[in-house]
Each structure stands twice: as C-alpha cells, then as structure tokens.
C-alpha cells in the first residue's frame, strides 16, 4: 500500500507511504505539532496489549535466577489482536485472575541429553489459542534460556492486559520515528550543532517531500510545522495499522471526556453545590477500598474453609448440593436417563466449596457496591433537582422584584415627562417675550406706564407710543 491518502483538504490528512506486517510509514499533514506529538505518545504508551505479569516457579535449576528469568518472560511480546475481549485486572471481580482478565502459560523443560538445550518462547503453552508468543513463520521465537544436562525449569505464568505507561512490557511499538521540517526551515537546529548544520544533521528521505526555503528570504517567526512524518515499527503483538487506529481512538476518548468535564463544569446546575463533592469523593474511595479488600478477604475465606472444621463441613455441603444440581441439569438438558449421582470426594468438595464461598463473597461485595452506587446516584439527582427548584424560586423572586422596580421607574418617568412638558411651555413663552423685547429694543424709546407693564406680563398685546422730545 503506497501513496494512499485520506481526508478533506481543510482537515488533517494521512498519506500512507508503505505498510507491511510489522511497520507503517505515513505522513500526517494539516494539523498542529501538539496533535501529532499526542498521537506519537498514545501509540507508545496508551495502546493496550497482553504481557506476562505473574510468574510462579516450581523448579529452576538453571544458571539464571528467578527474577532474571521472570523479567525476560515479561518482555516476551504476545499476540494481542483480541485484547479488547479481556478486562483489566482492576475492573474484574475475580479474586486473583480468571479467563476474563488473563491468560495462563506453562513451561516445563528438562535437559536429559549431553550438550546445550535452548528453550524458546514458542515452548510456552498457552491456555488461550489467540494469545501466544510472537514468532516468525520460520523461527521458534525468542531464546529464553540455555540449559545443560540435568537442569530443569518448571514454571507457571499469568499474562494480563495493560498499557505501557504502567510498564514498558505492554508497549506494542519497538520504535516510533517522528520528524518534521526536514530542511530546518524553522531554524530549530540553530543551537544544536558545533561547526556545520548540514554535515552534522544530514537530510533524511523526508526532505524529498518538502522544498527548502530561500536562505536570503526574511524569516517568519510565526511559522509553525504542519506536516509530520511517522515510521511506526511494532514488536508483532499488534498490526501497525491497529496500533495507529487504537491510538487515535484513545485520543478521541480522552477529548470526549475532557469536553464532558468542561461542559459539566460550565453548567451551574450540573454539579449542584460544592458540599456534594466531599461525600462523592469519600464514596469513591470507600468503593475502591472495599473492592481492593474483597480479594484478600476471599482468599482468607478459602484458607479458613480448608482448615476450619465448621467451614469444612459447610464447604462440603455447599459443593455437594451444587454438584448434584449441576449434574441433574446437565442430564436433563442432554436427555440422559436420570441416575444416582456420585458425590464428590472430600478434597474436591472442600476446594469447590471454598472457591464458591470466595466467589460468592466477591459477588456480594460487587452487588452491594452497585446498589450503593444506585442509591447515591438517586440521592444526588434528588439534591440536584432540589437545588434547581431553589434556584428557580430565587430567580422568580428576583424577576418579581425587578418588575416592581420597572413599574416604579415607569411612574417616575411619566412624572418627569409631565415636568419636562411644563418646562417646555414656559420656555416657549419666555422665548416669545424675549423676541418681543428685542423687537421693541430696535425702535426709538417709548413711554410705558404701570398699566401697560401689567398687560405685557399677562401676555396681552399692548401698543406702545413713542415718546416725544
């Protein structure tokens, strides 16, 4: 697959330059450096895979110490195409591990012939055919250790689901090549050379994708890279395209979670009051504590069931009842003739009953936490509704108060309008009187008696006679 590209011209684009079984080379363009770097980090540390996490040694007479060999086993890549079918151990309700959250491996090799016996990763026997050590078609996998005659290794491993930010053994990538601005047009190498940039930083093949800027042209200090070159090499646990797609999905989930958190933070009614935060955090901590303690308590119950006489009898009775019920149901479903069911021996009955008690305790804890969470959610929703109702009442009171203030202001406005109209009439009268005074002032002096002045002040027309000299 060469030269394939997807995306709108205005949106981020991906152009795949090469793709094979363990690596992919592609170009990401029309995006920012932060987005490209987030994709790189997600591919390295956020993509889940399966890896050996627990190792139990029954026999080890080789020259390698248990810790050294356990570390080598943890770094063996496992095929993880169906990793989404498994749960994280922290999300599983089992006591230690089960088929829903883990895969078991066994290795038992003894060297009985002279010379050196090489043990490969392909000799690990898996309980799940879909999760096996990675190996090429023409090889036996990774060399785990070498033994001489008489040496023996016998161990049991448990592989679990995880991500590389917890431990590097879960990383699906052997290396992630990442480059931008191959011609150094943005001058990001100006302080990273001794004598010559071109000699100490030779151009890569990615330089063919871009043009070199004119060295005499003015430098754009606001320029940012928009094209990024990736070369992802996997360890074989996942296909390279699956690594890129899973990393993209992880980034989308993180962005959606951030968006929802911002919307909840900006919504005044979503969080109710701040005093609700402390009970919520306390409940979460208590739930996590109960969940963590339930597993060792269940293991303790199993041990007590095997050693304590009362628990032993209880386990035997529970196991026998469960065994009879299961066998009757199987014979009925399969259409077999009903026959007398042979009871379990005491050892098997104690083991089965102890496991049943342990699993029943964990199940009861999980059910209790679910009911407690539902009750807490209902109470929180009720408190939110009460808070919203209180806020609505406060808003209605404020609206009523504002309406009263508006009515009062409207009355005051009418009074002021009447006063303004009265002042406007008086102003017009004074203007007319002033015009008459000015008009009279342009003529010869006249004689005015008291009667005429009174008539003039009353707004009546008066006739003035000129004075004789």
């Amino acid at each position: 697959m060469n030269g394939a590209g997807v995306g709108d011209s205005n949106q981020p684009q991906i152009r795949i330059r090469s793709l094979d079984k363990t690596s992919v080379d592609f170009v990401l363009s029309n995006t920012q450096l932060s987005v490209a770097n987030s994709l790189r980090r997600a591919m390295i540390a956020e993509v889940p895979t399966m890896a050996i996490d627990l190792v139990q040694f029954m026999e080890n007479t080789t020259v390698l110490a248990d810790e050294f060999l356990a570390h080598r086993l943890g770094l063996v890549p496992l095929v993880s195409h169906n990793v989404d079918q498994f749960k994280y151990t922290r999300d599983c309700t089992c006591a230690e591990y089960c088929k829903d959250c883990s895969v078991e491996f066994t290795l038992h090799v003894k060297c009985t012939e002279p010379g050196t016996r090489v043990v490969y990763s392909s000799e690990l026997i898996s309980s799940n055919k879909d999760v096996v050590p990675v190996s090429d078609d023409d090889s036996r996998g990774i060399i785990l250790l070498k033994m001489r005659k008489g040496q023996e290794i016998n161990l049991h491993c448990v592989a679990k689901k995880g991500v590389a930010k917890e431990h590097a053994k879960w990383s699906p990538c052997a290396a992630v090549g990442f480059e931008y601005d191959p011609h150094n047009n943005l001058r990001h190498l100006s302080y990273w050379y001794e004598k010559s940039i071109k000699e100490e930083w030779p151009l890569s093949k990615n330089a063919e994708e871009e043009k070199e800027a004119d060295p005499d042209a003015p430098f754009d200090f606001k320029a940012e890279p928009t094209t990024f070159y990736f070369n992802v090499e996997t360890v074989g646990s996942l296909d390279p395209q699956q690594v890129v797609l899973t990393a993209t999905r992880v980034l989308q989930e993180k962005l959606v979670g951030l968006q929802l958190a911002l919307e909840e933070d900006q919504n005044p009614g979503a969080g109710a009051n701040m005093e609700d935060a402390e009970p919520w955090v306390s409940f979460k901590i208590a739930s996590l504590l109960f969940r963590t303690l339930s597993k060792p308590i269940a293991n303790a119950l199993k041990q007590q069931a095997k050693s304590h006489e009362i628990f032993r009898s209880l386990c035997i009775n529970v196991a026998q009842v469960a065994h009879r019920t299961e066998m009757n149901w199987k014979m009925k479903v399969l259409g077999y003739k009903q026959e007398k069911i042979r009871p379990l021996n005491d050892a098997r009955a104690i083991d089965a009953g102890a496991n049943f008690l342990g699993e029943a305790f964990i199940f009861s804890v999980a059910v209790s936490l679910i009911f407690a969470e539902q009750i807490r959610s209902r109470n929180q929703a009720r408190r939110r509704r009460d808070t919203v109702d209180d806020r609505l009442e406060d808003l209605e009171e404020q609206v009523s108060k504002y309406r009263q203030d508006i009515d009062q202001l409207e009355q005051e406005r009418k009074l002021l309008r009447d006063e303004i109209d009265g002042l406007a009439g008086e102003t017009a009268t004074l203007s007319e009187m002033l015009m008459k005074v000015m008009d009279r002032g342009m003529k010869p002096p006249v004689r005015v008696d008291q009667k005429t002045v009174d008539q003039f002040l009353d707004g009546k027309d008066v006739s003035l006679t000129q004075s004789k000299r």
Side-chain angles (χ1 to χ4, degrees):
M1 190 172 185
N2 190 10
V6 294
D8 188 6
S9 59
N10 296 325
Q11 299 294 329
Q13 291 183 318
I14 292 181
R15 178 166 55 87
I16 301 176
R17 297 189 294 187
S18 64
L19 175 64
D20 55 31
K21 185 178 179 180
T22 59
S23 65
V24 59
D25 189 293
F26 64 93
V27 181
L28 176 63
S29 57
N30 289 349
T31 189
Q32 297 179 352
L33 176 60
S34 59
V35 176
N37 191 48
S38 299
L39 178 61
R40 178 188 68 86
R41 293 173 62 90
M43 288 189 292
I44 295 175
E46 298 284 349
V47 178
T49 59
M50 300 294 292
I52 293 176
D53 193 50
L54 298 175
V55 181
Q56 181 182 6
F57 289 89
M58 276 73 75
E59 185 72 25
N60 182 16
T61 58
T62 66
V63 296
L64 297 182
D66 293 351
E67 295 81 5
F68 188 87
L69 187 55
H71 184 264
R72 289 183 62 83
L73 289 169
L75 295 178
V76 173
L78 304 177
V79 177
S80 306
H81 298 299
N82 297 328
V83 67
D84 292 336
Q85 298 179 0
F86 294 91
K87 299 179 182 179
Y88 289 102
T89 304
R90 58 181 177 270
D91 298 331
C92 191
T93 58
C94 63
E96 294 184 34
Y97 53 85
C98 64
K99 63 179 181 180
D100 294 330
C101 64
S102 60
V103 176
E104 299 182 56
F105 291 87
T106 57
L107 177 65
H108 189 190
V109 179
K110 185 176 182 179
C111 182
T112 58
E113 299 179 357
T116 302
R117 169 72 161 87
V118 181
V119 181
Y120 295 91
S121 60
S122 59
E123 298 183 55
L124 287 166
I125 301 175
S126 174
S127 62
N128 189 322
K129 63 179 181 179
D130 295 329
V131 181
V132 295
V134 174
S135 61
D136 296 332
D137 297 335
D138 55 349
S139 68
R140 300 182 62 183
I142 299 172
I143 297 177
L144 296 179
L145 72 157
K146 296 181 180 180
M147 300 189 304
R148 303 289 294 191
K149 184 178 180 180
Q151 295 180 349
E152 181 182 2
I153 182 70
N154 184 11
L155 53 85
H156 173 264
C157 307
V158 178
K160 297 183 178 182
K161 180 180 178 180
V163 292
K165 70 179 181 180
E166 300 177 13
H167 194 283
K169 64 185 177 183
W170 279 297
S171 177
C173 300
V176 177
F178 179 70
E179 184 183 11
Y180 63 92
D181 189 23
H183 288 288
N184 193 29
N185 294 330
L186 301 179
R187 302 181 185 178
H188 54 272
L189 299 177
S190 298
Y191 298 99
W192 294 93
Y193 72 97
E194 295 181 358
K195 295 182 179 179
S196 174
I197 293 181
K198 293 186 178 180
E199 293 180 359
E200 298 176 17
W201 295 93
L203 297 178
S204 64
K205 66 175 184 178
N206 298 324
E208 301 175 359
E209 300 279 345
E210 299 182 12
K211 295 182 180 180
E212 185 177 4
D214 186 3
D216 297 330
F219 180 68
D220 185 7
F221 290 92
K222 296 183 179 180
E224 296 181 356
T226 58
T227 304
F228 308 92
Y229 306 94
F230 287 86
N231 189 351
V232 182
E233 182 180 354
T234 67
V235 297
S237 57
L238 295 175
D239 295 331
Q241 62 269 30
Q242 189 176 0
V243 173
V244 178
L245 293 176
T246 305
T248 305
R249 188 184 72 233
V250 169
L251 288 179
Q252 291 176 345
E253 293 174 353
K254 288 180 176 290
L255 291 175
V256 170
L258 177 61
Q259 183 179 2
L260 293 176
L262 291 175
E263 291 178 356
E264 183 177 359
D265 183 66
Q266 293 176 357
N267 187 3
N273 298 325
M274 289 302 295
E275 54 266 19
D276 294 338
E278 294 185 1
W280 183 82
V281 173
S282 301
F283 178 80
K284 289 298 182 182
I285 295 175
S287 300
L288 180 61
L289 179 62
F290 285 138
R291 236 172 117 184
T292 305
L293 293 178
S294 62
K295 295 183 179 180
I297 292 176
N299 293 332
L301 288 175
K302 292 181 181 180
Q303 297 298 328
Q304 288 291 330
K306 294 180 181 179
S307 59
H308 199 275
E309 187 64 29
I310 297 178
F311 275 109
R312 285 170 60 89
S313 60
L314 177 62
C315 290
I316 293 175
N317 293 332
V318 170
Q320 297 294 356
V321 171
H323 175 66
R324 287 195 298 270
T325 304
E326 180 183 1
M327 295 304 298
N328 288 328
W329 181 79
K330 286 183 178 180
M331 287 188 293
K332 185 176 181 180
V333 171
L334 298 177
Y336 293 152
K337 182 180 179 181
Q338 294 289 337
E339 298 179 356
K340 184 178 180 180
I341 299 174
R342 182 179 180 182
L344 298 172
N345 57 43
D346 290 347
R348 293 184 61 186
I350 291 173
D351 290 336
N355 290 331
F356 177 81
L357 289 178
E359 296 297 333
F361 176 77
I362 295 177
F363 178 76
S364 63
V365 171
V367 172
S368 300
L369 291 177
I370 291 174
F371 281 113
E373 176 69 17
Q374 291 180 350
I375 294 173
R376 187 197 65 83
S377 300
R378 286 198 296 268
N379 293 335
Q380 186 177 8
R382 185 173 62 254
R383 288 195 299 270
R384 288 181 179 179
R385 288 194 298 270
D386 295 340
T387 303
V388 172
D389 294 338
D390 294 338
R391 291 178 60 85
L392 289 176
E393 291 179 358
D394 294 340
L395 291 175
E396 290 177 356
E397 292 179 358
Q398 292 179 4
V399 169
S400 177
K401 182 179 178 181
Y402 291 152
R403 286 178 179 175
Q404 293 177 0
D405 294 340
I406 291 173
D407 294 339
Q408 185 177 358
L409 291 175
E410 184 66 23
Q411 294 177 0
E412 294 178 357
R413 187 187 68 83
K414 291 181 179 179
L415 294 176
L416 291 174
R417 172 59 63 186
D418 295 339
E419 293 180 0
I420 291 173
D421 293 340
L423 292 175
E426 295 178 0
T427 302
T429 302
L430 292 175
S431 298
E432 184 180 357
M433 292 172 61
L434 181 60
M435 293 299 297
K436 290 181 180 182
V437 171
M438 293 179 63
D439 184 45
R440 295 299 182 182
M442 300 299 296
K443 296 180 181 180
V446 295
R447 185 177 60 195
V448 181
D449 55 8
Q450 185 63 35
K451 182 179 180 180
T452 304
V453 173
D454 295 336
Q455 292 177 355
F456 179 77
L457 293 176
D458 293 336
K460 298 180 180 179
D461 294 333
V462 296
S463 59
L464 302 177
T465 60
Q466 297 179 354
S467 61
K468 297 181 181 180
R469 295 182 181 180

